[in-house]
């Protein structure tokens, strides 16, 4: 191949090359996290490679307080997801399906938390809790998480409900389904993907939140706060083990889901 | 299904009394009285926005009327929610539940009414619409025509007193639409349920319905059998919306028994039966005289002598012709009307009938109709799809 | 079947028929649906902002408690003291946003138009990093950019670090604890928030539009400039907002990858609140940050809204 053709070909695939480079940039830290989960660091910090070891994988809870914080984060994420999903779904339905006074202010109120740097929300919420003399901890974290996840649920569910044909619900009512039956048998199943998307997003946001939690946690330690603290005091290898395990499990679930839905679609069209 | 034809008790007419619908200051439906006799195929025909769908939705209970009452038989159902009315709807674009398969879509109404063993009924229903072997597919996996049949099956399985159809064939291509028209007519004859069918397609309405109500701007313009509406429209809207009409502005010269003589532009005298004129017949009054293009015969001016006596005659010159296959359409300039349309069957074509040729148009006066001259001559033109 | 189908009903009572009233319960449904969520947002989002506003004009000390004295001087004081951190935050956030756009667009484009049957795999790979806590991933950058590591070596060999040193983005042979490291971290952390909206709006573009543009004598580059990019503007707008807003208030990257010289305003607010316990100053800083971000966002939305019409 002469160099000119090679150059021309490279130019044609410029987008592909640039895109894959970006992807590498995004994946690189995960690879590092994974590789360093097999490290046996010399000091307290796990930043430079020493030699291969399975020690951390053998005792994932070996670092004091790590698994406790992980459990707490999961617990808060589950409750925050349930709370935000229920409240957000209700708002989304009201916004799409009903006419009412004050739609403008409601929309702004939904939008503003997303347009606000986290640190501002974190600081102002702390001011409230301090003024009320509230005990910082599990409940203040949960309250804060529901608050900032709510808007994202509204957006996700709203998009889905908006694209839903209102005639489907009319058809259900026409076919002898009362209001409750219509909601349970038609509206909810069809809105489910949007609600699921909102719930997943809530879970991820809550589980991974650091800034707002850091302000309002008091002495309670969630998983991100544990990682933050260890960045100051010394990073146990187990952090990398947990990070890698979550990454692998999540990717496996996604891939399995893809395979199942793909197979189901094929089976459906073949029957 | 035939033997179970559920026509309900006698007196199952649908009766609308003074029913109307306002959205804010917009009147979608003007106060309307209408009775649809039990077991008939009834069409509400009109352009989009004329209020026909709103009327249908008020019968279904999906829309609350602003005024008036809906009766099913002798029962006032105005305040009943849709799920308590013995009425089912075939929705525009079908509204099949995407998360349920065909079987569950059809079984939906039965299940909601607490019927446990639905298998036999659903199977029979799917056979009626020839979809027996598609029961476990999802709606998205069916073609448009199949989806349409599922929608009909899903509504009919409930043996409603009245089946409402909202533009049920709008999403289908022309060929399939013709096929489904006959299919729907067959099903209606078989089950004997009252069908109320909303459509903007005049051909569809005329093919299927026993009675058509032509709606315009929230009012019923005229009601009657397809033949009646076509042959003797009472308004310019109906004359133009159903097929094509030539409308000629004339002045009444006088009456003679059952006949009416009028004079058009250029001193052209025309006759029409008095009972086919829907406006005052006093001498000196204005009247729009109408004639359908296919009723007119075109004769070259050289042969004018051969035209029998007693026919309405109008001289003219051919401005344009277009060959359609089964027929030829002519546009003729004439003193009575600048552009008269004439459709001639292609049986024996006269080679002299080309643009520029002088011709005489003539037709049987019995086919002429008269309309009030105070109306917009072009109302309803180009509105039919 | 004839006109007898229409039986005139009894004439309605004189005048307009009485309209039927809409049921009252039905009209209240939306308010009941909104109530809990909106109350939550009012109590835990709006009220705190009010408290913060009041705190920012208080004086006093932790021992003698704070009181509202309308001491607006605090705003002026904190601005004078911390304006470098403010400007730095806005600058870093803007640069990171721009980098996200430049770096993220090709990938979004690749997934939307060139990926074929690999599309889903690529999407999973874009989202997958999310599943590892972002703090852990940010710490990984400490390893990647470490002094004497392969990245520093490579950049040194190419004399890139000399150039960035001159520009003041790095210092000496180091990448860590420099502005470049902080911006790299910010860009990395918020990149998915750019790529996903971009992908969503690109994916909606009908592929035939590209063919039509090519058919009408547009080169691929012109097609991109005149067709693809304008049509992806909604994605560009929401992507830039979703990256700029969080990065302007972020302090994790500055703290983990930077030094005292790269401190962003988020760090200042955090330490004033949690370490120094000077609540009025912290509240004032937070309020200024909010005002600046809201101003930038609303100005940007307005501009973008009009540009979209061009």
């Amino acid at each position: 191949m002469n160099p000119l053709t090679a150059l021309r070909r490279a130019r044609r695939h410029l987008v592909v090359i640039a895109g894959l480079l970006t992807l590498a940039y995004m994946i690189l830290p995960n690879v590092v996290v994974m590789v360093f989960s097999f490290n046996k660091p010399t000091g307290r910090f796990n930043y430079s490679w020493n030699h291969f070891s399975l020690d951390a994988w053998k005792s994932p809870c070996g670092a004091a307080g790590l698994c406790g914080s992980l459990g707490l984060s999961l617990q808060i994420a589950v409750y925050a997801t349930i709370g935000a999903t229920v409240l957000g779904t209700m708002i989304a339905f009201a916004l799409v399906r009903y006419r009412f006074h004050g739609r403008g202010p409601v929309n702004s109120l939904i939008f503003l938390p997303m347009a606000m740097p986290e640190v501002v929300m974190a600081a102002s919420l702390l001011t409230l809790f301090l003024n009320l003399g509230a005990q910082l901890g599990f409940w203040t974290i949960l309250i804060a998480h529901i608050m900032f996840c709510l808007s994202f649920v509204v957006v996700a569910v709203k998009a889905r409900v908006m694209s839903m044909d209102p005639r489907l619900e009319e058809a259900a009512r026409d076919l002898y389904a009362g209001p409750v039956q219509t909601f349970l048998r038609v509206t909810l199943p069809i809105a489910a993907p949007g609600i699921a998307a909102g719930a997943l997003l809530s879970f991820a946001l809550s589980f991974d939140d650091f800034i707002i939690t850091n302000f309002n946690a008091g002495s309670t330690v969630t998983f991100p706060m544990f990682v933050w603290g260890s960045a100051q005091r010394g990073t146990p290898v187990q952090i990398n083990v947990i990070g890698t395990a979550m990454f692998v499990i999540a990717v496996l679930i996604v891939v399995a889901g893809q395979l199942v839905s793909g197979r189901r679609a094929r089976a459906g069209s073949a029957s | 299904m035939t033997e179970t034809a559920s026509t309900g008790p006698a007196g199952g007419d649908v009766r609308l009394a003074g029913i109307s619908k306002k959205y804010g200051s917009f009147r979608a439906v003007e106060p309307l009285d209408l009775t649809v006799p039990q077991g008939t195929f009834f069409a509400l025909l009109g352009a989009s926005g004329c209020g026909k769908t709103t009327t249908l939705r008020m019968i279904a209970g999906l829309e609350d009327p602003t005024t008036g009452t809906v009766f099913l038989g002798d029962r006032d159902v105005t305040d009943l929610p849709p799920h308590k009315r013995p009425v089912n709807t075939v929705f525009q674009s079908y509204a099949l539940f995407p998360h349920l398969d065909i079987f569950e879509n059809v079984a939906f109404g039965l299940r909601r009414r607490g019927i446990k063993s639905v298998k036999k009924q659903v199977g029979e229903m799917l056979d009626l619409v020839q979809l027996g072997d598609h029961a476990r597919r999802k709606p998205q996996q069916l073609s448009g025509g199949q989806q349409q049949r599922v929608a009909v099956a899903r509504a009919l399985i409930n043996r409603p007193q009245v089946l409402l159809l909202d533009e049920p064939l709008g999403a289908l291509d022309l060929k399939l639409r013709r096929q489904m028209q006959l299919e729907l007519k067959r099903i209606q004859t078989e089950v004997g349920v009252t069908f109320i069918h909303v459509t903007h397609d005049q051909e569809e309405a005329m093919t299927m319905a026993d009675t058509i109500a032509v709606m315009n701007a929230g009012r019923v313009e005229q009601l009657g059998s397809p033949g009646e509406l076509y042959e003797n429209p009472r308004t310019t809207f109906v004359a133009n919306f159903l097929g094509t009409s030539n409308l000629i502005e004339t002045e009444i010269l006088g009456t003679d028994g059952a006949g009416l003589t009028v004079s058009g532009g250029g001193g052209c005298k025309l006759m029409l039966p008095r009972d086919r004129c829907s406006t005052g017949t006093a001498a000196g009054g204005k009247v729009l005289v109408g004639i359908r293009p296919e009723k007119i015969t075109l004769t070259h001016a050289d042969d004018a002598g051969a035209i029998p006596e007693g026919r309405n005659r109008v001289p003219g010159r051919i401005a344009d012709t277009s060959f359609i296959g089964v027929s030829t359409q002519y546009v003729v300039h004439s003193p009575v009307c600048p552009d008269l349309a004439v459709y001639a069957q292609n049986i024996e074509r006269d080679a002299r009938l080309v643009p520029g040729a002088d011709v005489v148009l003539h037709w049987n006066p019995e086919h002429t109709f008269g309309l009030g001259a105070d109306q917009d001559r072009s109302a309803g033109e180009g509105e039919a799809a | 079947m004839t006109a007898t189908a229409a039986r005139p009903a009894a004439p309605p009572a004189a005048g307009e028929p009485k309209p039927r009233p809409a049921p009252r319960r039905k009209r209240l449904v939306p308010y009941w649906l909104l109530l809990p969520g909106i109350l939550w947002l009012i109590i835990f989002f709006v009220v705190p902002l009010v408290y913060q506003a009041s705190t920012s004009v208080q004086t006093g000390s932790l021992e003698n408690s704070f009181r509202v004295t309308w001491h607006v001087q605090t705003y002026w004081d904190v601005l004078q003291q911390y304006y470098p951190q403010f400007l730095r935050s806005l600058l870093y956030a803007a640069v990171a946003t721009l980098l996200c756009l430049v770096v993220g667009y090709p990938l979004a484009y690749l997934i939307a138009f060139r990926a074929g049957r690999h599309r889903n795999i690529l999407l999973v790979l874009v989202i997958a990093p999310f599943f590892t806590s972002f703090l852990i991933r940010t710490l990984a950058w400490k390893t990647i950019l470490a002094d004497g590591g392969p990245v520093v070596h490579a950049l040194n060999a190419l004399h890139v670090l000399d150039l960035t040193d001159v520009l003041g983005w790095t210092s000496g042979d180091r990448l860590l604890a420099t502005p470049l490291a902080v911006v790299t971290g910010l860009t990395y952390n918020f990149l998915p928030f750019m790529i996903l909206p971009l992908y969503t709006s690109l994916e909606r573009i009908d592929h035939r539009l590209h063919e039509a543009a090519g058919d009408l004598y547009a080169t691929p580059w012109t097609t991109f400039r005149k067709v693809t990019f304008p049509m992806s503007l909604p994605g560009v707008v929401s992507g830039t907002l979703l990256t700029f807003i969080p990065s302007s208030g972020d302090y994790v990257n500055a703290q983990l990858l930077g030094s005292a010289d790269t401190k962003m305003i988020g760090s200042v607010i955090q330490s004033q609140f949690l370490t120094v316990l000077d609540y009025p100053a912290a509240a004032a800083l937070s309020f200024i940050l909010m005002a600046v971000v809201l101003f930038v966002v609303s100005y940007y939305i307005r501009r973008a809204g009009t540009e979209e019409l061009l």
Side-chain angles (χ1 to χ4, degrees):
Chain A
M1 196 192 319
N2 77 49
L4 208 67
T5 350
L7 198 72
R8 200 170 294 148
R9 190 166 296 176
R11 223 187 81 178
R12 238 187 34 183
H13 295 293
L14 200 62
V15 163
V16 178
I17 294 164
L20 291 178
L21 280 176
T22 305
L23 200 61
Y25 173 58
M26 295 177 74
I27 299 294
L28 182 62
N30 282 78
V31 175
V32 171
V33 169
M34 192 180 293
V35 169
F36 275 71
S37 73
F38 299 103
N39 192 16
K40 190 165 184 64
T42 43
R44 286 182 298 131
F45 289 94
N46 182 20
Y47 294 146
S48 49
W49 182 257
N50 184 27
H51 72 81
F52 182 86
S53 151
L54 284 172
D55 289 357
W57 281 92
K58 282 178 191 151
S59 61
C61 286
L66 172 65
C67 283
S69 71
L70 189 65
L72 181 69
S73 273
L74 286 172
Q75 202 183 347
I76 290 177
V78 167
Y79 290 145
T81 300
I82 294 171
T85 306
V86 170
L87 299 183
T89 303
M90 286 164 70
I91 295 181
F93 269 98
L95 282 172
V96 179
R97 282 301 163 79
Y98 293 93
R99 296 198 300 176
F100 55 87
H101 295 289
R103 175 178 295 271
V106 167
N107 273 324
S108 315
L109 194 58
I110 303 297
F111 173 74
L112 272 175
M114 294 188 289
M116 192 79 62
E118 264 192 90
V119 70
V120 175
M121 285 193 281
S124 58
L125 200 54
L126 176 61
T127 331
L128 174 80
F129 289 144
L130 288 177
N131 273 290
L132 297 180
Q135 172 82 42
L136 296 180
F138 180 87
W139 291 105
T140 50
I141 300 174
L142 183 58
I143 285 172
H145 283 203
I146 292 178
M147 183 268 288
F148 73 76
C149 291
L150 192 55
S151 300
F152 291 93
V153 175
V154 174
V155 171
V157 178
K158 213 173 111 179
R160 177 74 190 181
V161 178
M162 245 152 67
S163 68
M164 182 175 158
D165 186 352
R167 270 184 292 236
L168 291 173
E169 281 158 308
E170 292 183 348
R173 291 199 288 152
D174 186 64
L175 294 164
Y176 312 105
V180 177
Q181 288 275 337
T182 302
F183 184 76
L184 291 179
R185 304 265 171 196
V186 175
T187 316
L188 209 54
I190 296 175
I195 297 172
L200 272 178
L201 194 59
S202 291
F203 188 89
L205 287 172
S206 163
F207 183 79
D208 211 13
D209 179 74
F210 171 66
I211 294 180
I212 294 182
T213 312
N214 189 32
F215 271 76
N216 295 288
S219 56
T220 311
V221 178
T222 62
F223 181 62
M225 286 175 69
F226 180 88
V227 177
W228 177 260
S230 63
Q232 260 87 54
R233 294 186 308 272
T235 48
V237 183
Q238 278 84 354
I239 290 178
N240 293 47
V241 172
I242 303 288
T244 306
M246 280 165 46
F247 177 76
V248 171
I249 291 170
V251 169
L252 283 180
I253 290 175
V254 172
V255 170
Q258 284 272 334
L259 285 179
V260 168
S261 70
R263 187 166 302 157
R264 195 176 291 157
R266 271 196 301 280
S269 56
S271 75
Chain B
M1 275 309 288
T2 353
E3 75 283 1
T4 59
S6 63
T7 39
D13 301 358
V14 178
R15 192 154 62 83
L16 308 180
I19 206 160
S20 77
K21 181 72 188 176
K22 266 164 85 171
Y23 297 104
S25 62
F26 171 69
R27 292 166 168 278
V29 177
E30 302 283 347
L32 176 75
D33 297 315
L34 194 68
T35 300
V36 180
Q38 184 183 342
T40 56
F41 201 129
F42 189 93
L44 282 169
L45 173 65
S48 63
C50 72
K52 56 191 193 303
T53 294
T54 309
T55 308
L56 194 81
R57 290 169 60 83
M58 289 192 287
I59 301 172
L62 296 169
E63 209 84 65
D64 288 328
T66 310
T67 65
T69 319
V70 179
F71 292 100
L72 284 179
D74 295 324
R75 192 158 152 231
D76 177 353
V77 297
T78 321
D79 289 319
L80 281 187
H83 63 278
K84 296 198 173 142
R85 295 192 190 196
V87 168
N88 290 110
T89 309
V90 176
F91 286 83
Q92 195 172 7
S93 62
Y94 324 130
L96 300 179
F97 303 124
H99 59 299
L100 301 177
D101 63 22
I102 300 312
F103 184 93
E104 286 304 322
N105 261 284
V106 175
F108 192 91
L110 297 179
R111 292 204 194 279
R112 296 293 83 71
R113 287 184 299 164
I115 296 166
K116 287 282 177 290
S117 51
V118 297
K119 200 159 180 198
K120 186 163 166 284
Q121 277 197 66
V122 174
E124 279 174 8
M125 197 31 123
L126 285 176
D127 287 341
L128 178 79
V129 295
Q130 297 155 7
L131 284 171
D133 45 350
H134 292 65
R136 288 301 166 197
R137 295 227 185 149
K138 287 286 177 75
Q140 310 87 283
Q141 295 169 323
L142 300 190
S143 70
Q146 289 171 326
Q147 290 186 21
Q148 207 274 335
R149 296 208 293 264
V150 176
V152 173
R154 185 179 70 172
L156 269 184
I157 197 166
N158 303 296
R159 294 170 191 177
Q161 246 171 293
V162 184
L163 184 72
L164 307 173
L165 303 108
D166 185 3
E167 300 270 10
L169 309 177
L172 305 180
D173 64 47
L174 189 64
K175 208 171 151 198
L176 200 53
R177 203 176 330 166
R178 305 290 269 159
Q179 197 185 322
M180 287 308 299
Q181 285 171 7
L182 300 175
E183 183 85 9
L184 277 178
K185 185 74 192 161
R186 172 184 72 86
I187 292 173
Q188 196 265 339
T189 324
E190 232 167 89
V191 298
V193 172
T194 312
F195 276 36
I196 302 183
H197 177 193
V198 155
T199 179
H200 65 271
D201 182 339
Q202 41 110 1
E203 216 175 286
E204 189 176 302
M206 290 201 279
T207 314
M208 294 198 279
D210 306 315
T211 311
I212 300 175
V214 181
M215 286 190 74
N216 180 30
R219 291 172 207 282
V220 172
E221 289 258 336
Q222 192 176 349
L223 184 121
S225 70
E228 220 173 64
L229 291 179
Y230 187 80
E231 298 296 346
N232 193 8
R234 302 297 191 95
T235 65
T236 55
F237 181 87
V238 176
N240 291 323
F241 194 77
L242 268 81
T244 311
S245 293
N246 293 305
L247 295 178
I248 304 166
E249 285 168 17
T250 63
E251 195 183 310
I252 298 172
L253 294 178
T255 51
D256 145 39
L260 194 63
T261 312
V262 298
S263 124
C268 200
K269 271 187 203 159
L270 301 170
M271 288 178 299
L272 69 152
R274 201 165 158 179
D275 58 5
R276 287 174 61 91
C277 186
S278 59
T279 184
T281 53
K286 300 272 186 211
V287 66
L288 279 173
V289 162
I291 180 70
R292 297 283 184 185
E294 73 278 8
K295 314 277 191 199
I296 303 177
T297 312
L298 209 54
T299 302
H300 195 268
D302 295 349
D303 302 341
I307 300 169
E309 279 304 307
R311 288 172 74 87
N312 283 333
R313 292 160 172 255
V314 168
R317 175 174 290 167
I318 296 178
D320 196 10
T321 74
S322 40
F323 180 73
I324 305 294
V326 292
S327 65
T328 305
Q329 303 192 351
Y330 298 89
V331 177
V332 179
H333 280 323
S334 133
V336 296
C337 182
D339 47 359
L340 283 167
V342 179
Y343 302 163
Q345 290 281 310
N346 286 327
I347 304 168
E348 283 142 2
R349 297 177 64 205
D350 187 338
R352 292 170 299 169
L353 298 181
V354 293
D358 284 320
V359 289
V360 174
L361 314 175
H362 53 103
W363 65 89
N364 184 344
E366 292 297 317
H367 293 145
T368 320
F369 52 86
L371 306 173
D374 51 347
Q375 308 174 65
D376 176 10
R377 242 187 68 181
S378 57
E381 257 176 31
E383 282 189 54
Chain C
M1 193 45 47
T2 63
T4 54
R7 276 179 227 147
E16 276 277 298
K18 237 214 236 133
R20 304 151 39 81
R24 189 181 170 75
R25 252 186 41 204
K26 236 178 175 173
R27 279 181 295 153
L28 288 176
V29 169
Y31 299 103
W32 285 115
L33 284 174
L34 289 170
L35 192 70
I38 293 302
L39 266 184
W40 199 281
L41 284 180
I42 288 176
I43 298 174
F44 298 117
F45 176 71
V46 179
V47 172
L49 289 176
V50 176
Y51 265 103
Q52 194 177 37
S54 117
T55 304
S56 70
V57 290
Q58 291 176 354
T59 48
S61 66
L62 213 53
E63 293 78 37
N64 307 325
S65 81
F66 293 96
R67 231 169 241 111
V68 176
T69 52
W70 296 104
H71 190 263
V72 272
Q73 179 73 25
T74 312
Y75 280 85
W76 181 241
D77 293 344
V78 294
L79 260 185
Q80 268 198 322
Q81 197 178 348
Y82 296 109
Y83 77 92
Q85 283 86 344
F86 258 116
L87 293 182
R88 194 178 295 137
S89 294
L90 293 178
L91 179 69
Y92 286 4
V95 173
T97 305
L98 203 66
L99 280 175
C100 278
L101 182 61
V102 172
V103 173
Y105 208 106
L107 183 54
Y109 189 95
L110 167 67
I111 301 174
F113 297 122
R114 304 284 287 270
R117 65 203 172 81
H118 301 302
R119 179 186 278 202
N120 282 338
I121 298 171
L122 289 178
L123 273 177
V124 169
L125 286 177
V126 168
I127 302 167
F130 270 128
F131 298 127
T132 303
S133 169
F134 84 105
L135 284 168
I136 301 180
R137 286 180 285 124
T138 310
L139 285 179
W141 279 103
K142 266 190 133 142
T143 307
I144 300 169
L145 304 178
D147 300 340
V151 177
V152 170
H153 267 301
L155 292 179
N156 241 338
L158 295 168
H159 296 285
V160 177
L161 286 186
D162 298 340
L163 178 69
T164 52
D165 195 4
V166 172
L167 291 170
W169 296 354
T170 58
S171 53
D173 284 348
R174 293 201 75 187
L175 265 177
L176 269 186
T178 63
L180 189 63
V182 176
V183 171
T184 303
L186 285 172
T187 310
Y188 166 75
N189 263 313
F190 300 110
L191 195 51
F193 296 101
M194 176 66 83
I195 291 177
L196 292 177
L198 277 179
Y199 164 73
T200 314
S201 64
L202 282 172
E203 187 234 27
R204 286 200 196 115
I205 300 175
D206 187 343
H207 202 75
R208 281 169 301 182
L209 290 176
H210 292 164
E211 290 164 9
D215 184 55
L216 297 166
Y217 315 108
T219 61
W221 174 240
T222 319
T223 305
F224 175 76
R225 254 181 343 120
K226 296 284 179 192
V227 181
T228 315
F229 188 73
M231 290 187 74
S232 70
L233 267 183
V236 174
V237 171
S238 51
T240 43
L241 287 178
L242 283 176
T243 38
F244 179 80
I245 295 168
S247 32
S248 65
D250 180 84
Y251 60 83
V252 172
N253 287 284
Q255 207 115 322
L256 293 184
L257 304 176
S259 66
D261 295 333
T262 61
K263 222 174 184 190
M264 288 171 73
I265 196 62
S267 307
V268 179
I269 298 175
Q270 189 240 17
S271 60
Q272 291 289 325
F273 245 116
L274 301 182
T275 322
V276 185
L277 304 180
D278 183 352
Y279 296 136
L285 281 170
S286 167
F287 228 76
I288 297 170
L289 176 63
M290 179 183 87
V292 171
V293 169
L294 282 184
F295 174 77
V296 171
V297 167
S298 58
Y299 177 77
Y300 179 71
I301 288 180
R302 200 158 298 164
R303 276 295 298 270
T306 51
E307 272 169 11
E308 244 178 77
L309 299 174
L310 290 181

